[in-house]
Amino acid sequence: MQFPLVHVSWSLADNAGRPACDTFFREVFGASTAHEILITPETEKMGLDREESLLMIGDTMLIPIAPAGHGAQKGSPLGDMLRRSAAPHRWIGVALKVTDLAEADAWFAARGFKRHYDPGMEAFYFLVPRGQALGMRLEIVKQDMPGDPRRDPAWRPATDHRLGIEGLQALGLSTPSLEEARALFAEKLEWPEIGTRDLPEGRCAAFAMGDTVLEAIVGDEGSPIAAHARDVKGICHLVFKVRNAEETASALRARGLPLIGDTATRFAIDPDVAQGRLIWFTHHVPQGYPAVGSRLGEMAGAA
């Protein structure tokens, strides 16, 4: 089945911090806002429990979500989940696109996954909880995201991105072992393994995940990636492909942002000043990795 990436999400404990988070990604990454879900008197009466901005970086959608409205109250299912999940280096998960939700449900059921449906949303999406996917929640969606420019097959992201971002190359996920990662991603989800390599943080096995790559990383005992796999779980980083790593590093340094890694090849803004997110930049394409770029427009054109 096709599973193009719809979005990557993470949570904020307090909605008061969301504007600064959104501003950081707009000003530093050049993110544009596809849509905003906000508390108004009308939406609060309807029971809205969160606020979020659907941020486009190139053709990749990122969504930081904060409890608000009814979600600000303790005991709110979504609000409590967001507060539990709000921590540096912890992401909620990914949304993946399908054209037939019933077919996708049967596909996941046949592979032993339990699915969760939110009441009233049974025709639009279902969830595979993070405990079944090494800490990465999977949201399997049929509906389009509001304001998503990728719904237009003719749409293309701007080519003059301030950091030279060409697209999302990979998502990284910490794992206790590569054997567990292969059992989940290659065997159960049938995402082909496209190679292994050593990264500074650990040994990486890469899997073709629809229109991007999932990098499962295992670290030595006592390493940060091993601690992430034990204590945090799930997504640990994103990787954006850029035209020229040195030029991107220079642009970030000009903003006074501290960098980690090797600015000639693969580096990131220090997560302490990047909203607790580890987001790498590289111009290197590992062997076997596909060209970057969302495939949602192709699905829309075929619908």
Side-chain angles (χ1 to χ4, degrees):
M1 295 185 73
Q2 281 191 314
F3 294 119
L5 181 69
V6 179
H7 63 71
V8 186
S9 62
W10 70 93
S11 61
L12 306 171
D14 189 336
N15 195 40
R18 192 181 61 82
C21 177
D22 290 356
T23 297
F24 173 83
F25 283 95
R26 291 186 184 114
E27 292 185 352
V28 176
F29 283 78
S32 61
T33 303
H35 184 74
E36 287 188 303
I37 298 175
L38 303 175
I39 297 293
T40 66
E42 293 74 20
T43 59
E44 190 162 20
K45 287 179 182 177
M46 295 168 59
L48 187 65
D49 48 11
R50 70 198 187 280
E51 286 198 344
E52 60 190 68
S53 296
L54 281 56
L55 301 174
M56 298 297 302
I57 297 177
D59 58 3
T60 301
M61 181 178 286
L62 303 185
I63 310 180
I65 310 171
H70 292 272
Q73 304 169 13
K74 290 185 178 180
S76 160
L78 183 84
D80 288 348
M81 182 279 287
L82 291 173
R83 283 182 284 272
R84 285 194 308 271
S85 301
H89 305 287
R90 181 168 179 176
W91 309 66
I92 296 173
V94 299
L96 305 175
K97 186 68 181 289
V98 296
T99 55
D100 188 318
L101 199 64
E103 181 184 357
D105 181 278
W107 192 90
F108 277 88
R111 286 152 181 80
F113 290 100
K114 295 180 180 179
R115 288 89 57 223
H116 171 79
Y117 284 87
D118 287 332
M121 304 304 292
E122 292 85 354
F124 302 103
Y125 66 84
F126 64 83
L127 303 173
V128 175
R130 67 193 306 264
Q132 299 182 66
L134 288 175
M136 177 176 65
R137 190 182 78 170
L138 304 178
E139 182 178 350
I140 309 304
V141 303
K142 178 182 179 182
Q143 87 277 17
D144 293 318
M145 300 300 292
D148 191 340
R150 299 168 298 182
R151 293 182 298 177
D152 179 358
W155 177 82
R156 297 292 183 273
T159 57
D160 59 347
H161 192 281
R162 67 186 63 178
L163 297 181
I165 291 176
E166 296 180 339
L168 183 69
Q169 184 180 91
L171 299 93
L173 178 140
S174 64
T175 180
S177 72
L178 295 187
E179 289 71 24
E180 288 186 50
R182 290 184 175 109
L184 172 63
F185 299 120
E187 296 176 20
K188 289 186 71 174
L189 286 170
E190 300 180 11
W191 295 348
E193 184 172 349
I194 56 178
T196 58
R197 61 190 175 118
D198 289 318
L199 295 173
E201 55 266 47
R203 184 69 171 165
C204 168
F207 304 88
M209 186 184 105
D211 52 1
T212 190
V213 172
L214 191 288
E215 296 180 333
I217 307 170
V218 62
D220 293 335
E221 185 175 355
S223 67
I225 199 71
H228 190 282
R230 182 187 65 243
D231 302 329
V232 181
K233 298 180 173 47
I235 298 170
C236 57
H237 71 231
L238 304 183
V239 185
F240 279 105
K241 168 74 169 57
V242 297
R243 286 190 297 271
N244 184 290
E246 290 280 14
E247 291 178 2
T248 301
S250 295
L252 293 169
R253 285 198 190 101
R255 300 187 66 92
L257 293 166
L259 307 179
I260 61 174
D262 184 350
T263 57
T265 54
R266 181 177 181 266
F267 68 94
I269 303 169
D270 188 327
D272 288 345
V273 297
Q275 305 298 314
R277 306 300 113 190
L278 178 57
I279 301 178
W280 298 101
F281 302 97
T282 184
H283 62 228
H284 172 67
V285 180
Q287 185 175 0
Y289 278 40
V292 296
S294 173
R295 306 293 186 269
L296 284 183
E298 295 175 10
M299 291 189 73

